[in-house]
Amino acid sequence: MLRSTIKASLRRVNGRSFSSGSAPHRKVAVLGAAGGIGQPLSLLMKLNPLVSQLSLYDIAGTPGVAADVSHINTRSEVTGYVGEDQLGKALEGCDVVIIPAGVPRKPGMTRDDLFNINAGIVKGLCTAIAKYCPHALVNMISNPVNSTVPIASEVFKKAGTYDEKRLFGVTTLDVVRAKTFYAGKANANVAEVNVPVVGGHAGITILPLFSQATPTANLPHDVLTALTKRTQDGGTEVVEAKAGKGSATLSMAYAGALFADACLKGLNGVPDVVECSFVQSSITELPFFASKVRLGKNGVEEVLGLGALSDYEKQGLEALLPELKSSIEKGIKFANQS
């Protein structure tokens, strides 16, 4: 019963199934696989039949996680790698690299606190990616994404491997939350709801475009304002609810698995795969911005525009730009300091 329920749930996600058919060989690495996000994410990637080889890496604990996950009777072969001396082997031949490595947010921690720890971790991992799998699609989960994606881009530029089509900040959890919260207020079937979320991936830089949500619902302004605020503060809501015992690890793993699946579908030539992601962009004056992106065989096929915005969303866009600009610049500055 559970197995059929899981499979049915996966089929319902975004109306697209985790289905392989005669899927090609695809190697996926999870960097930080023994962590709070990494473990459930590794499980979800093991369930994805588009993955033929699953590489799990962390600085400790990965052999156990790999042994556990490897017993699941799905397509992919699982290998665990532990310590920096095994990072190269973990990355060689990868098509997609997912990075949830680093520390999670705890009560009272700011994004700056996260930056001070995670920036160096991301820089080291991206240096290895540039060396061992420079053509992989990189899915950045490690926070603060508004800064870690620019860090990655600078590392790749220095190595001469940067391809803006292959670097993604995973903002899918913002979309997942927006869909869930909107469906509740609109009395809609959440499986049929779609809400684009643009901007960045922290606080007010997260801008859900409820005016473009489908199915449409004429929700009053105060409800839309509350929905926007809750989407922006979703991470804090979970951190406080867990009372110092974790952050949004499970929902983030789910969102990360969704986005990785979309990347794999794009690589495999599935048409019209569109997801929101924080990527190099020219739709605003900022060098990076989250919006709808069409995915293809080379990663980003097309960065889609914002579409029509409500007056409230236009105000939100103006308000987020300075903060997002500062976060991007902070990441670039860090990457170029050493």
Side-chain angles (χ1 to χ4, degrees):
M1 179 65 183
L2 178 60
R3 182 176 179 181
S4 61
T5 301
I6 290 172
K7 286 188 173 181
S9 297
L10 291 176
R11 280 197 298 273
R12 284 196 297 270
V13 171
N14 289 340
R16 300 196 305 268
S17 65
F18 282 21
S19 61
S20 59
S22 55
H25 173 87
R26 295 293 181 197
K27 180 179 177 180
V28 175
V30 179
L31 306 186
I37 297 169
Q39 290 199 42
L41 177 58
S42 298
L43 169 63
L44 290 169
M45 295 314 297
K46 181 70 173 99
L47 296 178
N48 190 326
L50 299 182
V51 181
S52 56
Q53 196 174 347
L54 184 59
S55 176
L56 305 182
Y57 170 82
D58 214 320
I59 56 172
T62 4
V65 176
D68 194 356
V69 172
S70 71
H71 291 181
I72 295 168
N73 59 323
T74 54
R75 178 191 182 199
S76 55
E77 294 182 5
V78 182
T79 309
Y81 299 92
V82 62
E84 288 186 18
D85 58 329
Q86 294 186 13
L87 180 54
K89 285 186 178 180
L91 291 171
E92 284 174 351
C94 278
D95 297 286
V96 177
V97 179
I98 315 170
I99 310 179
V103 297
R105 195 150 61 103
K106 296 178 181 177
M109 280 185 76
T110 65
R111 297 276 168 178
D112 282 342
D113 295 331
L114 277 181
F115 179 92
N116 291 334
I117 300 169
N118 290 350
I121 294 171
V122 165
K123 188 175 181 181
L125 293 173
C126 288
T127 300
I129 290 168
K131 182 176 181 180
Y132 294 104
C133 56
H135 302 299
L137 303 190
V138 177
N139 292 185
M140 184 68 69
I141 291 175
S142 303
N143 273 316
V145 165
N146 293 351
S147 298
T148 54
V149 169
I151 288 171
S153 73
E154 293 299 306
V155 170
F156 296 150
K157 285 175 185 175
K158 282 185 177 180
T161 64
Y162 182 54
D163 181 348
E164 69 273 15
K165 295 180 178 181
R166 297 178 180 271
L167 176 61
F168 303 88
V170 180
T171 61
T172 314
L173 182 51
D174 302 326
V175 177
V176 165
R177 286 175 173 146
K179 288 178 178 180
T180 301
F181 303 157
Y182 177 85
K185 293 296 183 182
N187 293 317
N189 180 352
V190 70
E192 297 173 358
V193 166
N194 195 23
V195 183
V197 181
V198 303
H201 186 57
I204 66 162
T205 71
I206 300 167
L207 184 62
L209 302 182
F210 289 115
S211 69
Q212 298 178 22
T214 55
T216 56
N218 293 317
L219 299 177
H221 180 71
D222 62 323
V223 172
L224 291 174
T225 302
L227 283 174
T228 300
K229 179 72 171 163
R230 190 179 179 201
T231 303
Q232 292 171 337
D233 293 342
T236 301
E237 181 180 318
V238 176
V239 167
E240 291 177 352
K242 288 190 174 181
K245 290 185 167 60
S247 59
T249 51
L250 302 176
S251 52
M252 184 62 249
Y254 169 76
L258 279 186
F259 189 74
D261 180 64
C263 287
L264 289 165
K265 285 190 170 80
L267 287 173
N268 291 350
V270 175
D272 298 319
V273 179
V274 176
E275 296 288 343
C276 291
S277 182
F278 186 65
V279 296
Q280 182 172 311
S281 172
S282 58
I283 64 172
T284 71
E285 65 265 30
L286 301 183
F288 295 93
F289 199 81
S291 66
K292 288 183 181 178
V293 174
R294 180 174 288 109
L295 300 168
K297 292 184 177 181
N298 297 304
V300 175
E301 207 165 78
E302 183 183 6
V303 178
L304 304 176
L306 296 177
L309 305 183
S310 68
D311 288 342
Y312 176 70
E313 290 160 357
K314 288 176 183 175
Q315 292 170 7
L317 178 61
E318 287 301 312
L320 74 83
L321 289 173
E323 183 168 323
L324 183 53
K325 182 175 187 283
S326 175
S327 296
I328 292 169
E329 289 175 348
K330 185 174 184 176
I332 292 172
K333 181 180 178 183
F334 173 86
N336 288 316
Q337 274 177 343
S338 56

